[in-house]
Amino acid sequence: MNTRVVRFVLTSLALMALALSMTNPLLGDAQAASTTLRMSATSSVVGGKQVSITVQISRKAPTGGAKVTLKSSNSSLLPVPSSVTIPAGKIVASLKVTAAGTTSNTPVTLTATYSGSTATKVVTVKSTGLQTFSAPSSIKGGQTVTVKVSLSAAAPAGGAKVTLTSSNATAFPLPASITIPAGSTSASTSVIAGAPTANTSITLTATWSGKTISRKATIGKYVPPKTPTPTKTATPVKTATPVKTATPMPTATNTAIPTATFTATVPAPTATFTATVPAPTATFTATVPAPTATAVPSKAYFTLKLASGSTQMTVGSSVTFNVCYVGTPTQWETIIFNISDTQVAWTLDKWSYNVQPGWKGSELCTTVTMTDSKPGTVQLVVSSQSGNLATVASDKITFK
């Protein structure tokens, strides 16, 4: 057979095969089914970090793209979308997903499926552990300080409740626990040191998921702040009501007493005697007491107003309050901020505020921001450490 005949036969066979592939849907499906799928992903990750996933097919995606189905064996720990589409004419698509926190190393199997081909990849989500516990090593008696705990990765679902203890709760009263919200890596709280009569060494500990971190600290002897002697304001002198002038008595007129004449029959000559009697004078004195002034004592107290937000809030949002000390303080006052319900997962941006003697106007005001990460109803409660001022509370704030 010559070369021209062979070429003609081969060309004819190729045209027949092309015609069959266009007219026979079963043959087209067989070609699609022959597409192979591969998947790659980061082999390990910690909570809060991302995993890179890539899917690849062996031939270019058709018009409209190639929709690859995805599935995770633990969607709460490593969630993936239901599918990813490889664009038309391309063979690769990539995406990133974020792992949640966990208290133990957990393998998660990712599965990709396209046109009958399946690919899997195992990703290990590593455990989250307590990483740091920070607190000052030297603290003055009565001083407000911040303690902070942090994790090696994001806190798991429900948050990480870290237990706190103090070897001397009188010298340094730590709260029983502090909760790191789910997805976060740290949390902090403010603590007011006690008032020991001598320098006191203590041990502070933080414990979570089987791990404990300790810190040594010294609480210094409490020295009360010097209270300046207030300058007394002189009481203004009240003007006394003028004394009424007594009506003068009429001037007595001296009336001459008639001369008495006595006649005696004696040999001697008659003697005449004249007596003059002066008129008496009268003196009157009127005394009017000056009225006494009654001092009106001043009153110092708190005002508490909602500055931003409302009484109905969404979980995770924040409300801000304006807190003012009304009056002029004559001694140091430490204003304490707290929340009415300690079981709700809340946080404050500050826990206390010092007001100094002689402060006025804006110096006596501060703002406090409250954030709640769980549903519930709470109130901001304001009081003074000395107990000299009445406690006040805000309107109830409901987080939904």
Side-chain angles (χ1 to χ4, degrees), residues 258-274:
T259 304
T261 303
F262 302 91
T263 302
T265 305
V266 290
T270 304
T272 302
F273 300 92
T274 302

Side-chain angles (χ1 to χ4, degrees), residues 62-154:
T63 302
K67 185 177 181 180
V68 179
T69 303
L70 299 177
K71 186 177 180 182
S72 169
S73 64
N74 190 333
S75 57
S76 61
L77 192 57
L78 189 60
V80 295
S82 59
S83 64
V84 61
T85 299
I86 300 174
K90 304 294 182 180
I91 62 172
V92 175
S94 298
L95 69 155
K96 291 183 177 181
V97 296
T98 302
T102 178
T103 57
S104 60
N105 293 345
T106 305
V108 179
T109 300
L110 303 180
T111 303
T113 303
Y114 174 70
S115 187
S117 180
T118 300
T120 61
K121 179 67 178 180
V122 176
V123 178
T124 300
V125 181
K126 293 185 176 180
S127 63
T128 300
L130 184 63
Q131 188 172 47
T132 62
F133 174 39
S134 60
S137 59
S138 180
I139 304 168
K140 296 178 181 179
Q143 181 183 0
T144 300
V145 298
T146 299
V147 295
K148 182 179 181 180
V149 292
S150 62
L151 306 178
S152 60

Side-chain angles (χ1 to χ4, degrees), residues 140-357:
K140 296 178 181 179
Q143 181 183 0
T144 300
V145 298
T146 299
V147 295
K148 182 179 181 180
V149 292
S150 62
L151 306 178
S152 60
K161 186 177 182 179
V162 181
T163 302
L164 303 178
T165 59
S166 169
S167 62
N168 189 329
T170 302
F172 196 74
L174 276 175
S177 64
I178 181 173
T179 299
I180 300 175
S184 298
T185 59
S186 64
S188 61
T189 185
S190 295
V191 181
I192 301 176
T197 56
N199 292 347
T200 305
S201 297
I202 61 171
T203 301
L204 308 176
T205 60
T207 303
W208 182 71
S209 189
K211 183 176 180 179
T212 297
I213 299 176
S214 299
R215 290 287 178 266
K216 299 287 186 181
T218 299
I219 311 300
K221 177 182 177 181
Y222 178 69
V223 179
K226 293 182 179 180
T227 303
T229 304
T231 303
K232 292 185 178 179
T233 304
T235 304
V237 178
K238 296 285 184 179
T239 304
T241 303
V243 177
K244 291 184 179 180
T245 305
T247 304
M249 295 293 292
T251 305
T253 303
N254 292 334
T255 304
I257 298 175
T259 304
T261 303
F262 302 91
T263 302
T265 305
V266 290
T270 304
T272 302
F273 300 92
T274 302
T276 302
V277 180
T281 55
T283 303
F284 300 92
T285 304
T287 303
V288 180
T292 20
T294 304
V296 180
S298 61
K299 182 181 180 182
Y301 54 93
F302 296 123
T303 60
L304 176 58
K305 295 182 179 179
L306 192 63
S308 67
S310 65
T311 56
Q312 301 290 325
M313 298 295 292
T314 303
V315 170
S317 58
S318 300
V319 293
T320 300
F321 300 89
N322 279 336
V323 181
C324 292
Y325 176 105
V326 179
T328 302
T330 59
Q331 65 179 27
W332 279 74
E333 285 287 357
T334 299
I335 301 174
I336 308 300
F337 307 113
N338 212 329
I339 296 296
S340 60
D341 187 352
T342 57
Q343 301 303 314
V344 179
W346 51 264
T347 56
L348 290 176
D349 68 334
K350 65 177 67 174
W351 292 77
S352 65
Y353 180 66
N354 289 325
V355 175
Q356 299 184 23

Side-chain angles (χ1 to χ4, degrees), residues 35-39 55-58 68 86 112-114 117-119:
T35 302
T36 57
L37 174 67
R38 294 180 181 179
M39 179 171 63
V55 291
Q56 181 179 351
I57 55 179
S58 58
V68 179
I86 300 174
T113 303
Y114 174 70
S117 180
T118 300

